[in-house]
Amino acid sequence: MTTPIPTHEFALYSLGGPALPAGTCTPPFSAARYSRYKYGSVTAAGCFARALGTAFAERCPELVRAPRLLMTSSPYTCVPTAAMALARVLAPALNAVRARHGLPPAPLLRVDRMSASAGDYGVLSAHARDRLMAANTLSFGRFRPDLVRDAHLMVVDDVRVTGAHQRCLMRASEGLPLSARTFLYIVSFRGLAGGSFDPAQEDALNHAAIRTLDDLAGLVEDDDFTWNVRVCKFVLSPANRDGLPRFLGRMPDWFVLDLYRNSCQDGYATMGHYASSHEVVRTELDRRPGWSLT
């Protein structure tokens, strides 16, 4: 019988439940900053990553200084999750702490999600999240056996709501020879029972600042943007279909080309939910000098 892998959780902020002691979270939680982070703001990701790294190193020094440490973000197919932007800033911050104690750096590895799905996870009910995660296939094929054995795996994510995503990762990693796992979050809805959670609360948080394509355009035009899977789905969603041509018309070539490539790589181009919007992106590229795909 396999012994369960010891598992820890740490969240910088808590909504609806006990948080870190007053005064330990700097800066205070901002729903607007979190929303910008979810939609690709490099500045917001850096702000949360530095605060998370500082708090985690201070409150859980024994985990940061694990003899063998591996880091990863929430899994993705081709287009990264927002959590990967968080992990890319957090990893060097935690590795600087490890270096001061004579410990080797923790590599940042990728867990592969074998296929992308349509829709917005943030609006799903607890039952729907469990059902989707039960059908999710993940691969730890990028983790070499010599790295994994007796290592502590740190999974960087942005929000814990019902725990369905965490349980999916736990199931997928249960057969690995890890010594322990830690799930690291920006924010947790810890005080809410999974079965009674109203998904509108997470959805409202995601869209506190970025509600429209024009809001997203502001991030891109301010040069404060990196791609993630949520942005792709948002731009290609049926809800934004009517405003998509005007939005794309104000976007630079690189953005439209990246959107087209991302849509092809993650399979949105052939998903009924997104296919018509993908064709709008293709049409926009075809009309731009030097970028025709036909």
Side-chain angles (χ1 to χ4, degrees):
M1 187 172 181
T2 304
T3 303
I5 300 171
T7 301
H8 313 273
E9 297 175 29
F10 182 90
L12 182 62
Y13 304 99
S14 179
L15 302 182
L20 291 175
T24 62
C25 296
T26 303
F29 181 71
S30 165
R33 182 183 294 114
Y34 182 84
S35 176
R36 290 193 295 271
Y37 152 75
K38 290 290 281 189
Y39 282 91
S41 168
V42 176
T43 300
C47 182
F48 281 124
R50 289 186 291 272
L52 181 58
T54 297
F56 185 60
E58 289 178 353
R59 299 183 64 81
C60 302
E62 72 287 356
L63 300 184
V64 178
R65 300 199 297 260
R68 303 187 66 190
L69 186 67
L70 304 176
M71 293 185 65
T72 191
S73 71
S74 55
Y76 56 93
T77 306
C78 293
V79 184
T81 57
M84 177 52 82
L86 188 72
R88 285 174 178 151
V89 179
L90 183 63
L94 294 185
N95 280 332
V97 176
R98 292 177 61 80
R100 290 197 293 270
H101 291 85
L103 294 166
L108 177 59
L109 305 172
R110 170 177 158 187
V111 179
D112 289 303
R113 191 183 303 279
M114 302 315 292
S115 61
S117 60
D120 187 344
Y121 186 81
V123 304
L124 297 181
S125 68
H127 179 67
R129 291 171 189 233
D130 281 332
R131 190 168 61 246
L132 180 63
M133 288 299 104
N136 207 6
T137 303
L138 305 181
S139 171
F140 283 80
R142 298 174 188 266
F143 289 61
R144 297 200 321 265
D146 60 303
L147 285 176
V148 175
R149 183 163 301 280
D150 298 325
H152 189 134
L153 176 64
M154 185 177 298
V155 181
V156 181
D157 209 343
D158 38 52
V159 63
R160 187 192 192 281
V161 182
T162 66
H165 191 243
Q166 177 174 315
R167 290 190 293 274
C168 177
L169 273 160
M170 290 171 64
R171 289 191 298 270
S173 61
E174 198 61 46
L176 300 177
L178 297 167
S179 63
R181 292 174 297 217
T182 295
F183 289 84
L184 209 54
Y185 300 102
I186 296 173
V187 63
S188 169
F189 286 89
R190 189 167 302 282
L192 303 171
S196 63
F197 176 72
D198 177 5
Q201 296 185 57
E202 183 185 2
D203 188 52
L205 183 59
N206 288 340
H207 297 104
I210 307 298
R211 303 179 183 88
T212 68
L213 291 176
D214 285 339
D215 294 334
L216 176 63
L219 289 181
V220 178
E221 291 167 350
D222 287 343
D223 197 25
D224 183 27
F225 175 78
T226 186
W227 281 103
N228 65 54
V229 65
R230 169 168 286 277
V231 173
C232 291
K233 290 184 174 184
F234 179 70
V235 174
L236 297 171
S237 70
N240 285 322
R241 172 64 178 77
D242 290 345
L244 186 56
R246 182 180 67 85
F247 168 76
L248 293 176
R250 65 186 284 195
M251 291 293 96
D253 288 347
W254 67 263
F255 183 95
V256 182
L257 183 61
D258 282 356
L259 177 59
Y260 180 84
R261 288 172 172 167
N262 290 343
S263 179
C264 291
Q265 288 176 340
D266 264 12
Y268 305 128
T270 56
M271 290 184 189
H273 195 70
Y274 302 117
S276 63
S277 292
H278 176 82
E279 286 306 309
V280 175
V281 179
R282 183 187 181 98
T283 299
E284 175 63 25
L285 274 178
D286 279 342
R287 77 168 190 84
R288 296 192 177 204
W291 293 106
S292 176
L293 297 167
T294 57

